[in-house]
Amino acid sequence: MSLPPEKASELKQLIHQQLSKMDVHGRIREILAETIREELAPDQQHLSTEDLIKALRRRGIIDDVMKELNFVTDNVDQELPSSPKQPICFDRQSTFKKSDGTRMADSTTMLSISDPIHMVLIKTDIFGETTLVASYFLEWRSVLGSENGVTSLTVELMGVGTESKVSVGILNIKLEMYPPLNQMLSQEVVNTQLALERQKTAEKERLFLVYAKQWWREYLQIRPSHNSRLVKIFAQDENGINRPVCSYVKPLRAGRLLDTPRQAARFVNVLGYERAPVIGGGGKQEQWCTLLAFLCRNKGDCEDHANLLCSLLLGYGLEAFVCVGTKAKGVPHAWVMTCGTDGTITFWESLTGHRYIHKPINPDEPPLAEQPKPLYPYRTIGCVFNHQMFLGNCQPSDAVETCVFDLNDESKWKPMSEEAIKSVCAPGATTSLPPFPPLCASTIDASVTSNEIEMQLRLLVSEHRKDLGLTTVWEDQLSYLLSPALASYEFERTTSISAGNEEFQDAIRRAVPDGHTFKGFPIHFVYRNARRAFATCLRSPFCEEIICCRGDQVRLAVRVRVFTYPESACAVWIMFACKYRSVL
């Protein structure tokens, strides 16, 4: 009995959080610097791993960590390796232990673990903007057939999207089994196993492609106009590889990082939105991202957001699907739909976090009959899918407002064979599909970051007013009173419930004397660049009026509140305010 993926994810998150809390990495760096300074001989160029381990043991680091990390094993055959989430660190140290914890799994068992190491290379500029440079899947099992369990590889990293055929660099990799295996495999055995897996994967993908073509022909026979509907069976990933869309979605549990489906929707919403880059004109560039690539760069297109939100909602036990269709003006779009046990259909917009209840319009009703007015922005829908199902819309009209979402009615929704989907999309079905990484806790200190941005904004406002010949007087108490409003705004975004405004308004009335006027301007960002946020705020006439306020007894206030989410995503709320004496 192996450790379930969701349990492994929770375990990794708990270990990561505990190590971060103990600042283990910082302590190791200090000891490493101290050891090199004090113990490294002048003629010695390198510090060995054994020397570092001894230094860590001597200073009690290892004992401290083991005291804090208490494991309870229950019939666990092996710990499966995880894909590294750090985009630059390619060191993979995985342990494979039997349930008694006394020895490593043997080489044959390790050879059967087909998950590749997914390496993502991210470029971050001085403003914190990230760019996806390369995404590479490393077949690590070649080390099982190497002498002494050590091998070196040279891999060529290719670009992404439209540059997927362009080399971006060479990466030298050293793989080492630690601790060493008692018995290594021959390279011939390893190569044979890998060749058999590739052959098996290719055959499964070929059979699914044949089935998909047949399904598409049958779909077009229902109604020739179906050819113009957005029925997407395959999508290209960042490396230009066509994958079944169902493989982009899997149930994903967030452990203790997210508590509710609506909080999960908020988390996905604060991840940045960026359309896939396109060279020249001619419409939208086709590129979906694997989950690791999306999370590492913290931004992506609407399909990436929808796939992640659907995966999280599936993890919460909801019946969730990604919908592919169009918005206003025929713009292609993807969003998420959940089906309640009572038949309620709810649309989730992954880019905004908004939820909409779908109530279909009956086109056969008399013209004067009152019909529900749709509040959602969606116009047409071509198909819906998740990790197990794919259904094409075969109703007479693909307009969302008239669609009936009875997915069991094959006269309205043409399904694909669940067995066919399972053959290429189920976990472990093919070696070409990357495993889903667990979510990582935020490394951002919300209080420190809030203070830093607030101080930067105060400086920017003071400089801006100085250029206009105006003096600036800040009122700290007024700034503090803005905090409840910012907390209320974020709570409303997450839960769709408004709370706390009464107390905020009462406090402001008490803080503003008779004969004075108060003005406030709240605004929301998903990045932490104060200068960029300030420039955006100045484009609002109302905010500019507050920042450039002139009059008698002018007092200014600004408050920043950063709300952190997994993967170091954050929602940044800023409120500028002023009070001044009204002069008639």
Side-chain angles (χ1 to χ4, degrees), residues 175-413:
L175 297 175
E176 180 177 357
M177 295 300 303
Y178 182 80
L181 290 172
N182 293 329
Q183 182 179 2
M184 303 302 294
L185 299 173
S186 70
Q187 196 64 54
E188 183 181 359
V189 170
V190 174
N191 292 340
T192 301
Q193 172 70 14
L194 299 182
L196 286 173
E197 288 181 1
R198 285 193 293 268
Q199 182 180 355
K200 185 178 178 182
T201 294
E203 180 62 14
K204 285 182 177 181
E205 292 175 347
R206 185 190 69 81
L207 291 175
F208 182 77
L209 178 60
V210 170
Y211 170 75
K213 288 181 177 179
Q214 177 62 29
W215 183 93
W216 178 248
R217 283 193 293 268
E218 294 173 358
Y219 182 71
L220 292 183
Q221 288 172 1
I222 298 174
R223 200 173 285 108
S225 61
H226 286 178
N227 190 44
S228 62
R229 296 189 179 184
L230 281 178
V231 179
K232 194 157 196 61
I233 304 173
F234 295 91
Q236 285 189 354
D237 66 8
E238 65 267 20
N239 292 323
I241 298 174
N242 276 312
R243 301 185 187 277
V245 292
C246 296
S247 68
Y248 288 88
V249 175
K250 289 186 182 73
L252 180 62
R253 290 172 57 171
R256 301 188 184 279
L257 300 179
L258 298 168
D259 295 323
T260 67
R262 297 193 186 190
Q263 192 178 17
R266 178 59 173 159
F267 156 59
V268 176
N269 159 222
V270 299
L271 292 172
Y273 169 65
E274 180 181 80
R275 295 185 62 178
V278 59
I279 299 176
K284 181 180 178 182
Q285 172 67 29
E286 170 65 32
Q287 179 185 314
W288 292 23
C289 275
T290 54
L291 181 59
L292 181 64
F294 175 40
L295 293 177
C296 283
R297 67 175 182 151
N298 258 194
K299 59 185 176 183
D301 213 332
C302 61
E303 294 89 356
D304 303 324
H305 287 78
N307 290 334
L308 175 56
L309 178 56
C310 183
S311 298
L312 288 167
L313 296 183
L314 288 169
Y316 280 109
L318 300 180
E319 186 179 13
F321 298 85
V322 175
C323 303
V324 179
T326 63
K327 294 195 299 184
K329 299 181 180 179
V331 177
H333 191 61
W335 66 97
V336 178
M337 171 185 78
T338 53
C339 306
T341 54
D342 59 354
T344 301
I345 301 299
T346 305
F347 293 147
W348 302 64
E349 177 48 60
S350 58
L351 296 181
T352 64
H354 294 162
R355 299 164 64 255
Y356 309 94
I357 302 298
H358 172 67
K359 295 181 180 179
I361 292 174
N362 186 352
D364 298 326
E365 287 284 338
L368 297 180
E370 186 176 353
Q371 298 275 18
K373 293 182 179 180
L375 301 176
Y376 44 78
Y378 318 120
R379 294 294 176 265
T380 66
I381 183 168
C383 64
V384 301
F385 66 88
N386 60 19
H387 63 303
Q388 294 176 328
M389 300 172 65
F390 183 95
L391 303 108
N393 182 7
C394 54
Q395 298 174 61
S397 170
D398 62 351
V400 177
E401 61 184 14
T402 62
C403 273
V404 175
F405 288 91
D406 181 0
L407 302 183
N408 296 317
D409 187 345
E410 295 191 10
S411 67
K412 294 181 172 62
W413 296 92

Side-chain angles (χ1 to χ4, degrees), residues 35-281:
T35 303
I36 291 175
R37 186 171 60 251
E38 296 179 359
E39 301 181 15
L40 198 63
D43 59 342
Q44 195 175 351
Q45 296 297 319
H46 301 287
L47 184 71
S48 68
T49 304
E50 290 77 10
D51 292 337
L52 179 58
I53 295 296
K54 288 178 183 177
L56 294 177
R57 285 190 181 281
R58 194 162 57 246
R59 289 163 175 78
I61 297 294
I62 295 178
D63 291 338
D64 289 348
V65 172
M66 297 312 296
K67 286 177 184 176
E68 294 292 335
L69 299 178
N70 297 316
F71 297 94
V72 179
T73 58
D74 180 18
N75 259 351
V76 179
D77 289 333
Q78 58 180 323
E79 291 181 13
L80 297 181
S82 65
S83 296
K85 284 300 300 299
Q86 294 79 7
I88 302 301
C89 178
F90 297 133
D91 181 23
R92 179 188 178 91
Q93 297 182 355
S94 302
T95 58
F96 301 79
K97 297 181 180 179
K98 291 297 184 184
S99 56
D100 58 7
T102 58
R103 61 188 179 88
M104 291 272 292
D106 57 35
S107 53
T108 304
T109 302
M110 298 180 68
L111 186 60
S112 67
I113 301 172
S114 60
D115 291 342
I117 301 176
H118 189 184
M119 301 185 296
V120 174
L121 185 62
I122 300 291
K123 181 177 71 175
T124 305
D125 64 18
I126 59 174
F127 301 108
E129 289 297 311
T130 57
T131 304
L132 179 61
V133 178
S135 174
Y136 185 83
F137 295 95
L138 175 68
E139 177 49 73
W140 59 273
R141 287 175 290 173
S142 60
V143 72
L144 298 176
S146 60
E147 292 185 15
N148 303 320
V150 180
T151 187
S152 295
L153 304 172
T154 299
V155 299
E156 184 179 19
L157 299 179
M158 309 300 287
V160 296
T162 55
E163 300 178 5
S164 60
K165 305 299 182 185
V166 180
S167 175
V168 297
I170 301 296
L171 184 66
N172 296 317
I173 302 173
K174 180 181 177 182
L175 297 175
E176 180 177 357
M177 295 300 303
Y178 182 80
L181 290 172
N182 293 329
Q183 182 179 2
M184 303 302 294
L185 299 173
S186 70
Q187 196 64 54
E188 183 181 359
V189 170
V190 174
N191 292 340
T192 301
Q193 172 70 14
L194 299 182
L196 286 173
E197 288 181 1
R198 285 193 293 268
Q199 182 180 355
K200 185 178 178 182
T201 294
E203 180 62 14
K204 285 182 177 181
E205 292 175 347
R206 185 190 69 81
L207 291 175
F208 182 77
L209 178 60
V210 170
Y211 170 75
K213 288 181 177 179
Q214 177 62 29
W215 183 93
W216 178 248
R217 283 193 293 268
E218 294 173 358
Y219 182 71
L220 292 183
Q221 288 172 1
I222 298 174
R223 200 173 285 108
S225 61
H226 286 178
N227 190 44
S228 62
R229 296 189 179 184
L230 281 178
V231 179
K232 194 157 196 61
I233 304 173
F234 295 91
Q236 285 189 354
D237 66 8
E238 65 267 20
N239 292 323
I241 298 174
N242 276 312
R243 301 185 187 277
V245 292
C246 296
S247 68
Y248 288 88
V249 175
K250 289 186 182 73
L252 180 62
R253 290 172 57 171
R256 301 188 184 279
L257 300 179
L258 298 168
D259 295 323
T260 67
R262 297 193 186 190
Q263 192 178 17
R266 178 59 173 159
F267 156 59
V268 176
N269 159 222
V270 299
L271 292 172
Y273 169 65
E274 180 181 80
R275 295 185 62 178
V278 59
I279 299 176

Side-chain angles (χ1 to χ4, degrees), residues 304-551:
D304 303 324
H305 287 78
N307 290 334
L308 175 56
L309 178 56
C310 183
S311 298
L312 288 167
L313 296 183
L314 288 169
Y316 280 109
L318 300 180
E319 186 179 13
F321 298 85
V322 175
C323 303
V324 179
T326 63
K327 294 195 299 184
K329 299 181 180 179
V331 177
H333 191 61
W335 66 97
V336 178
M337 171 185 78
T338 53
C339 306
T341 54
D342 59 354
T344 301
I345 301 299
T346 305
F347 293 147
W348 302 64
E349 177 48 60
S350 58
L351 296 181
T352 64
H354 294 162
R355 299 164 64 255
Y356 309 94
I357 302 298
H358 172 67
K359 295 181 180 179
I361 292 174
N362 186 352
D364 298 326
E365 287 284 338
L368 297 180
E370 186 176 353
Q371 298 275 18
K373 293 182 179 180
L375 301 176
Y376 44 78
Y378 318 120
R379 294 294 176 265
T380 66
I381 183 168
C383 64
V384 301
F385 66 88
N386 60 19
H387 63 303
Q388 294 176 328
M389 300 172 65
F390 183 95
L391 303 108
N393 182 7
C394 54
Q395 298 174 61
S397 170
D398 62 351
V400 177
E401 61 184 14
T402 62
C403 273
V404 175
F405 288 91
D406 181 0
L407 302 183
N408 296 317
D409 187 345
E410 295 191 10
S411 67
K412 294 181 172 62
W413 296 92
K414 178 174 173 56
M416 269 193 169
S417 163
E418 292 189 25
E419 285 300 316
I421 294 172
K422 186 177 179 181
S423 69
V424 290
C425 296
T430 65
T431 58
S432 62
L433 294 176
F436 268 28
L439 296 180
C440 285
S442 177
T443 58
I444 298 172
D445 187 316
S447 298
V448 171
T449 307
S450 299
N451 287 334
E452 289 176 350
I453 297 175
E454 190 170 308
M455 291 302 102
Q456 292 172 25
L457 288 175
R458 282 198 176 198
L459 182 61
L460 290 169
V461 170
S462 298
E463 290 177 348
H464 185 75
R465 289 177 59 85
K466 184 178 179 181
D467 292 341
L468 298 175
L470 301 173
T471 58
T472 304
V473 180
W474 296 99
E475 185 171 316
D476 291 339
Q477 176 62 14
L478 184 60
S479 296
Y480 180 74
L481 295 183
L482 304 179
S483 295
L486 301 183
S488 176
Y489 298 149
E490 181 63 19
F491 182 76
E492 185 175 359
R493 285 289 183 97
T494 305
T495 64
S496 302
I497 299 172
S498 179
N501 279 329
E502 297 83 358
E503 294 87 348
F504 166 67
Q505 293 173 7
D506 186 63
I508 293 298
R509 290 191 187 98
R510 291 177 178 275
V512 179
D514 291 340
H516 284 65
T517 299
F518 171 84
K519 291 181 179 179
F521 177 80
I523 191 168
H524 167 256
F525 299 99
V526 295
Y527 52 81
R528 305 188 300 279
N529 188 321
R531 189 171 295 275
R532 179 181 169 191
F534 183 66
T536 302
C537 292
L538 285 178
R539 288 199 286 269
S540 165
F542 189 75
C543 184
E544 185 185 27
E545 182 182 331
I546 292 174
I547 293 173
C548 304
C549 181
R550 302 168 185 262

